[in-house]
Amino acid sequence: MTLLEISSGDTAWVLASAALVLLMTPGLAMFYGGMVRANSTLNMIMMSFVTMGTVGVMWALYGYGMSFGDSVGGAGIIGNPIPLLGLQGAMGDATAGTLPAMAFVAFQAGFAIIAVALVSGAVADRMTFPAWILFTILWGTLVYFPAAHWVFAFDGFAAAKGGWIANKIGVIDFAGGTAIHINAGIAALMMAIVLKPRIGFGSKPMRPHNMTLVMLGAGILWFGWFGFNAGSALGANGLASHAWVTTLVATSAAMLAWLGTERIRDGHFTSLGAASGVVAGLVAITPACSSVTPVGAIIVGVVAGVLCALAVGLKFKFGYDDSLDVVGVHMVGGLTGTLLIGFLASGDAPGTHFTAADGTVTIVKGLFYGGDASQLGKQAIGAFSVLVYSAIVTLLIGFFLKAVMKIRVAPQAELDGIDLEEHAEVAYDLSSVRYTAYRVNQRLVIPASKPEEVNA
Amino acid sequence: MKLVTAIVQPHKLADVQLALALHGVSGMTVSESSGYARQHGHSEIYRGEEFTIDFVLKVKVEILVTDAGADEVVTVIADSARTGEVGDGKIWVTTVEEVVRIRTGEKGDVAV
C-alpha cells in the first residue's frame, strides 16, 4: 500500500509508543509477581517474559500476517499471512497509513504479547511451564491473531481489506477493549476452570507477598499504557493527545473509586486496591479513550473502579480460582469500557468522527450525548462476539493441553512452591542455611555404620 | 544455671533490653515468634475475603543466668515489659544442666 506519504512525526511517535507498549509486559510481570505468594514469584514473572519470546517470534513469522494481512476473501475473518511470512511483504517501501509498515509491525507486536501474557494471572502457582509455553503459541495463533484482525485491521490501512468488527459492524474500540481485555479476561476464566483451583483456595490465605512490587508494576503499566492508547492514534496529532488525557483521568478516577468502594465495604484503603483500580481504569478507557470527553472518561473510570472492585469477590462465591483477578479486572473492565461508549460517545471527541471513502463525515453519538441506541448495539455485538469466540476456543485449547501433557505441577511441588520445581531458583535467597546446603561438585557421604570408637 | 525465657510484645523489646542492661545482664538471644494464649487472634477483611489471624507476632527473649540471679532478672523483665493490657506475654524459668562457652571451652557459671 502506498497511498499516503510517510510522516516522520507520526513514525517517531509510533516507534516511541511501540517501546512503551512492550515495557508493559515486564510491568505486568512485576504486577503479577508481587501478587502471588513468595515461592511462586519467579514463575509468575517468567510466564510474562517467555510470552515476549514465543509471541515475539510468532509475530514476525506469521502473526502479523494473520492479523493485518489482506483479509482472506474480504470476509474479515482472518488476514492472509502468506505474503507477509517472515514479514517479507512489510519491508522496504511498504506503508501502513502514514507509517512505514515496519513501525506498525513493531507497535502491534507489544499488543499481541501482552494480550497473551495477561491470561497468566489466572493460572498462577500451578500450571507447568511447558504447558504455559505451548498455551501461548496456541492461544496467540488461534485466538488473539484472529481477534486482532477483526478489531484492529481497518480497510485500506495496512491492507486493502480488514476485519469484520472494525469495518462491517463499525464498533468503536480504539486500543483493544475487545481484542485484548475481554478476550484475555474470558480466556483467563476458562483456563482457571480447566486447571481447577489451587490447593487451599478459599481456605488458606493467598495474599500478595510483595506490595511494593505490585505498585511498581502498576506504575509501569500506567506509563506504558500511554503508548498503548495514545499510540493507537497511529499519528502524532490531536487524536493521540486526546487519548493521552482521557487515559490519565479515567485511571485517576478509577483508582479513587476502587479505594472508596473498598473503604466502605472492607474498612481499609489497601495499596492492592489502588494498584487494581489503576489497572481497571486503564482497561476500561482503552476502547473509549478517543470517543469520550475528559468528563466522560472520569465517568468511565468511576464505573469501572466500582464494578471491578465488586467483581473480584465473585470468584470466592463461584469457586473459580482466577488467582490474580484477570476476569474481575480485564473482562469486567473491558466490557464496561466497550459498552459505555454506547452511552458516552461524544461528538466533541475526535474519535467519533468517521470519514467515508467518498468524503462524507459521520459523527457517532452515545445515548447520553444526543445519539440513539444503535452504537450501543454495535458495541455489544463486538464485545460478545469476541467473548464467545475466545471462551469456546480457549476451552478447547485447555482441554487439548490437558489431554496431551501434564498441565499442572504435582501437589507437593505446588505446596513447596512452583519456582523451585519449574525453574530451579527462588526469588528471595535470604536463608543462609539454605544457601549453605548447596554444594558444588561434591557430595556429602554419610557412613553407613557408626565408627567403632563411638560405640566403645 | 537457669534459662529465663520471656515472650513479650514486640514494641516492648527495647524497654526490656534497656532495663536488663541497666541491671547488668550482658547478653541475650532474641527471636521473632508467634502464638496465642488469652489474647486470641483477630479477623479482618481483605479484598472481599474475611481472614482470621490466629497467631499474634511476639518476641522471644532468652537469657542464661546463674541460679542466684534468676529471680531478679524475671522481675526486671516483668516490670519493663508490662503495659497492663491482655497480650503482654509470659516469662518462665527452666533449669539448665550445662553451659559451654565455645571459644574458650569454659563450663558452668563462668560460661553464663
Side-chain angles (χ1 to χ4, degrees):
Chain A
M1 307 280 300
T2 41
L3 297 171
L4 300 166
E5 216 164 297
I6 285 176
S7 153
S8 57
D10 292 350
T11 307
W13 167 236
V14 169
L15 285 175
S17 292
L20 287 173
V21 176
L22 191 65
L23 184 66
M24 288 168 66
T25 298
L28 182 77
M30 301 301 124
F31 181 71
Y32 279 173
M35 242 195 272
V36 289
R37 291 166 292 175
N39 53 14
S40 311
T41 311
L42 291 177
N43 177 250
M44 207 63 242
I45 292 174
M46 279 292 284
M47 283 198 279
S48 283
F49 268 79
V50 82
T51 305
M52 299 173 81
T54 51
V55 180
V57 170
M58 286 151 61
W59 190 246
L61 293 181
Y62 63 90
Y64 176 76
M66 281 180 71
S67 304
F68 294 102
D70 200 23
S71 202
V72 176
I77 304 296
I78 192 72
N80 177 9
I82 308 294
L84 286 160
L85 282 178
L87 297 174
Q88 195 59 38
M91 292 188 287
D93 293 336
T95 61
T98 57
L99 310 168
M102 277 298 193
F104 188 58
V105 171
F107 180 66
Q108 282 290 340
F111 283 62
I113 289 167
I114 196 160
V116 182
L118 283 173
V119 183
S120 67
V123 304
D125 299 359
R126 60 201 189 281
M127 189 170 184
T128 61
F129 201 59
W132 169 257
I133 293 175
L134 199 52
F135 175 83
T136 64
I137 296 169
L138 293 175
W139 197 82
T141 305
L142 300 175
V143 182
Y144 181 75
F145 297 158
H149 182 71
W150 301 352
V151 175
F152 293 139
F154 286 93
D155 288 350
F157 186 75
K161 282 289 173 192
W164 67 278
I165 290 182
N167 303 294
K168 296 197 168 118
I169 310 282
V171 173
I172 297 181
D173 181 359
F174 194 66
T178 55
I180 309 262
H181 297 289
I182 294 174
N183 193 0
I186 186 72
L189 178 59
M190 294 301 132
M191 287 310 289
I193 291 170
V194 170
L195 272 177
K196 301 206 168 70
R198 288 170 288 179
I199 298 168
F201 173 72
S203 61
K204 293 264 185 303
M206 294 173 177
R207 296 168 60 137
H209 84 284
N210 188 338
M211 276 311 304
T212 47
L213 204 58
V214 174
M215 299 303 270
L216 174 70
I220 294 174
L221 281 170
W222 197 347
F223 177 71
W225 225 291
F226 289 116
F228 200 84
N229 285 1
S232 287
L234 299 170
N237 51 32
L239 184 60
S241 312
H242 186 93
W244 203 106
V245 172
T246 51
T247 300
L248 171 71
V249 297
T251 307
S252 306
M255 175 170 65
L256 297 178
W258 189 304
L259 285 173
T261 306
E262 218 174 34
R263 166 75 189 192
I264 292 166
R265 189 185 56 184
D266 304 336
H268 291 97
F269 301 105
T270 67
S271 51
L272 182 58
S276 308
V278 163
V279 176
L282 289 166
V283 169
I285 200 61
T286 292
C289 59
S290 68
S291 55
V292 299
T293 64
V295 173
I298 292 172
I299 297 169
V300 169
V302 168
V303 173
V306 172
L307 284 184
C308 294
L310 297 175
V312 296
L314 293 176
K315 62 183 179 182
F316 301 113
K317 279 207 179 72
F318 294 113
Y320 60 92
D321 185 3
D322 169 24
S323 318
L324 309 181
D325 297 321
V326 189
V327 182
V329 174
H330 292 274
M331 192 184 87
V332 174
L335 282 170
T336 303
T338 304
L339 296 179
L340 276 180
I341 293 170
F343 295 94
L344 297 171
S346 161
D348 295 336
T352 53
H353 297 236
F354 296 92
T355 313
D358 60 3
T360 51
V361 176
T362 17
I363 298 176
V364 174
K365 288 176 183 162
L367 271 173
F368 297 166
Y369 284 78
D372 54 23
S374 62
Q375 189 62 32
L376 180 60
K378 293 175 184 177
Q379 297 300 114
I381 291 170
F384 289 104
S385 305
V386 172
L387 188 88
V388 170
Y389 175 78
S390 177
I392 294 170
V393 180
T394 308
L395 212 51
L396 292 176
I397 293 173
F399 283 123
F400 169 76
L401 289 174
K402 211 170 184 175
V404 301
M405 68 193 299
K406 192 175 133 193
I407 194 171
R408 212 177 144 144
V409 296
Q412 191 59 50
E414 190 182 328
L415 293 170
D416 292 346
I418 193 170
D419 282 359
L420 207 52
E421 170 80 7
E422 296 292 286
H423 308 289
E425 293 164 315
V426 291
Y428 308 98
D429 209 345
L430 303 177
S431 158
S432 56
V433 173
R434 182 159 63 190
Y435 200 79
T436 311
Y438 284 102
R439 291 166 169 274
V440 180
N441 288 332
Q442 52 177 322
R443 184 174 284 275
L444 184 65
V445 180
I446 298 164
S449 60
K450 290 179 180 176
E452 295 279 316
E453 56 270 26
V454 174
N455 293 332
Chain B
M1 294 138 309
K2 304 285 188 193
L3 173 66
V4 177
T5 306
I7 305 291
V8 303
Q9 303 263 39
H11 68 270
K12 295 300 283 180
L13 177 63
D15 294 342
V16 172
Q17 185 196 8
L18 182 64
L20 286 169
L22 294 174
H23 182 69
V25 174
S26 56
M28 61 175 71
T29 304
V30 175
S31 48
E32 278 187 11
S33 59
S34 301
Y36 66 90
R38 288 188 195 173
Q39 179 199 23
H40 283 291
H42 63 288
S43 59
E44 64 179 54
I45 299 176
Y46 187 74
R47 209 170 176 91
E49 201 181 14
E50 187 173 350
F51 290 90
T52 52
I53 298 149
D54 291 334
F55 298 113
V56 183
L57 183 67
K58 299 286 175 188
V59 169
K60 182 160 84 172
V61 181
E62 291 167 302
I63 306 158
L64 283 166
V65 294
T66 58
D67 289 346
D71 280 350
E72 281 184 16
V73 165
V74 169
T75 311
V76 169
I77 295 174
D79 290 346
S80 57
R82 185 176 300 119
T83 68
E85 301 292 322
V86 174
D88 270 354
K90 280 197 174 50
I91 307 168
W92 60 89
V93 181
T94 45
T95 301
V96 174
E97 274 191 30
E98 183 65 289
V99 176
V100 178
R101 176 169 284 126
I102 293 177
R103 176 172 54 86
T104 59
E106 294 165 289
K107 293 184 177 182
D109 277 355
V110 290
V112 166

